Amino acid sequence: MKKTAFFFFFFLSFCSLCAEDGYRLWLRYDKISDNALLQQYSSQLSSLLPAASTPTLQTAQQELQSGLQGLLGKQIPLQPALANGSIILGTPATSSLIASVVPARQLAAAGAEGFVLQTAVSSGKNVTVITGNKEAGVLYGVFYFLRLLQTHQSIRPLAFTSAPKIGLRLLNHWDNLNRSVERGYAGISIWDWHKLPDYLDRRYTDYARANASIGINGTVLTNVNANALTLTKDYLVKAAALAHVFRPYGIKVYLTARFSAPIEIGKLKTADPLDPAVQQWWKQKADEIYSYIPDFGGLLVKANSEGQPGPQNYGRTHADGANMLADAITPHGGVVIWRAFVYSNETPDDRFKQAYNEFKPLDGKFRKGVLVQVKNGPIDFQPREPFHPLFGAMPATPLMMEYQLTQEYLGFATHLVYEAPLFTEVLQADTYAKGKRSEVASAIDGTLEGHSLTGMAGVANIGNDRNWCGHPFAQANWYALGRLAWDHDLSAAQIAEEWIRQTFANQPAFVGPVKAMMLSSRETMVNYMTPLGLHHIMGYGHHYGPAPWYNQAPRADWNPVYFHKADSLGLGFDRTAAGSNALAQYKDEVARLYGNLQTCPEAFLLWFHHVPWNYKMKSGRTLWEELCYKYYTGADSVKQMRQTWNGMKGLIDEERFAQVNMLLGIQEKEAIWWRNACVLYFQTFSRMPLPAGYEKPDQSLEYYQSLRFPYAPGIGGNL
Ligand code: GCV
């Protein structure tokens, strides 16, 4: 046995003894335990034709070799001669065989980034081809192929083409240069800025592998609450080192730009976007960035929001600011992603309305190469929000979706909440922008208005915790973002199933119950935190736990009381014409649906109506009774989740079983805390008794109000 092969085997057998600590994510590649299937795959895959020696194709080849080695428990040799069971990797440009075997129309359908998996007979041999027009497509194809094996699917015959529906599929890290992570709950930042550029942690490569495996093709390394130093030479060199690691995986690096950088690091007196010296400064900065990172993706900007500087400091608009940056960046091939998450302290209007009010009039004023990134809902990543009214309302502007993977408002990394149902609920919402069937998904993928520049981003939930995301199940949210950005027609159930099979086990006895638990987990969380359309009632600042009573924040719209508006008459924010009239920002069909108490889905009721306590709900219960019902059902459902998980003992490794078990224990306690605190608080307004049969809270409202959490994680701190 050759020395390298020996070490490889040694490594694999060592790995099988390794703790299941979650580090391998969904790329575990453990040997297939079903012998019949193993034999079938082994007979179908015998050797690998050496791929061309480019970085991406070599990366794809290595991934395929190590994946198959793990899954089949044997090495698949590199063999130039075609044999039965050969695998051919490459593009039509690197392998003439591919062009002869794969139908041209399939390659055409794969587009620039897609892939084709094709079984065929070539020179009398049964072969499997993994190809794409570009090399990144081949890598995506390899990961897809390995997923088929990991999830025990058939690999013969194959005639499968897949192309991403969305162009920019990004993670947004809210990571600071001091390695704190704003709203991060999985340790400190994975970017070790101090040791970069010379020390390249193995994690960077595994991060790139994980992202490429789900089609993510870009990463914004730094916090949107930006530090101007990010754009200095010292940090650009560090970012360039990361870009170098990510490049073979088809992943581009992006950075956040602090709008006042020309003053802070450029020694200019102003950052006015219409000032020629400022424009020149950004042009030179862009030239410098591209001298270090030739394929730099672009800049992400949070401006005039929550204290960040921006063009409005100089009486200019968001478009003025974005266009100035676009003039500097787009000639190099990059983009400017300008966030629409803005709300002004001076505007006494409903916070719901502010992004629309500021951005809608700017439609058509942004230069080519600018995308406006819009959060999924109008407030701020709440457990449930109606879709953001900007979707479908800016036809001339490419709008990019921003989701939050990190669970700032969803129980941090201690609660098991599978977010794909939240993501798909928004994507499937109908904006009616061009009549019925104008779903948010079509506004994002460009088909609604014919945009070719498209994007979807997730605020990352990744830190340096061994298992990356803090909670073993939080990995599923990272996974789901990538899968949905690639194909938003996938269902939450389908994504959950493939994630479970790769991450844990293929046995139906495990997959079935765990999938059901994941799929209901988001609704469960909504029920015990913010049922019936309540929103923004969490603790102040750190956002941990319930605090619907809080009203001491320096600005009104940071206070829970601003959002729930509980009083002796009822509960909820009236956003109809009689109230803030935020509903007018939607198309008539949507405004009518939500605006009418009878037709408004109860899940959104308190988003749009101030509802009397004794209002009769569809269940026949009063609002007060329904609220109690939801809170109690939510907390009970967590108990059931624990039971489900207990039933999984022995079906997976003890280590992750125990971790999830402990975390569910915390989740159950916290669900009861949410329930008790909220029910007791709202009862002071409804003045109605707890419906019969419900266990009384074991603590007083005063007790819950007295709780303090000065060291709750995630606040960040951009030193
Ligand atoms: C990065 C919320 C969060 C902030 C975050 C902000 C944003 O307000 O609490 O931490 O700042 O959203 O998205 O910009």
Side-chain angles (χ1 to χ4, degrees), residues 184 190 298:
I190 55 171

Side-chain angles (χ1 to χ4, degrees), residues 174 182-183 225 302 306 339 341 375 380 408 543:
W174 285 358
E182 181 148 350
R183 312 307 177 182
N225 288 336
K302 170 175 176 177
E306 299 187 328
R339 293 177 89 225
F341 177 68
K375 287 189 181 182
D380 196 6
E408 176 179 358
H543 298 171

Side-chain angles (χ1 to χ4, degrees), residues 85-244:
S86 287
I87 311 171
I88 305 162
L89 275 191
T91 66
T94 64
S95 157
S96 54
L97 208 73
I98 288 176
S100 69
V101 181
V102 180
R105 72 188 142 71
Q106 261 180 261
L107 278 165
E113 279 192 294
F115 61 86
V116 180
L117 302 182
Q118 177 82 41
T119 47
V121 178
S122 179
S123 310
K125 313 285 183 203
N126 289 316
V127 298
T128 302
V129 179
I130 305 179
T131 186
N133 294 307
K134 296 260 170 67
E135 295 183 1
V138 181
L139 182 64
Y140 295 141
V142 161
F143 279 114
Y144 191 93
F145 184 69
L146 288 169
R147 183 183 305 139
L148 291 178
L149 272 77
Q150 282 210 91
T151 56
H152 296 187
Q153 311 298 306
S154 158
I155 54 164
R156 174 153 296 167
L158 285 176
F160 180 73
T161 304
S162 178
K165 293 197 164 79
I166 288 173
L168 307 180
R169 305 177 297 278
L170 309 189
L171 287 183
N172 288 183
H173 287 264
W174 285 358
D175 293 16
N176 298 314
L177 301 184
N178 64 2
R179 294 192 78 181
S180 63
V181 180
E182 181 148 350
R183 312 307 177 182
Y185 312 101
I188 57 173
S189 170
I190 55 171
W191 319 130
D192 191 341
W193 294 108
H194 182 65
K195 292 197 197 128
L196 280 164
D198 300 315
Y199 186 88
L200 296 173
D201 198 311
R202 166 75 212 181
R203 229 174 225 264
Y204 303 152
T205 307
D206 288 329
Y207 169 87
R209 288 177 56 235
N211 279 322
S213 77
I214 49 175
I216 287 175
N217 64 0
T219 176
V220 185
L221 301 176
T222 47
N223 192 352
V224 287
N225 288 336
N227 186 329
L229 289 180
T230 305
L231 300 181
T232 56
K233 178 182 173 211
D234 284 355
Y235 283 94
L236 291 177
V237 169
K238 293 167 192 282
L242 290 173
H244 182 72

Side-chain angles (χ1 to χ4, degrees), residues 66-80:
S66 68
L68 291 178
Q69 167 111 39
L71 288 159
L72 306 182
K74 65 170 192 190
Q75 214 185 354
I76 300 290
L78 284 176
Q79 196 175 285

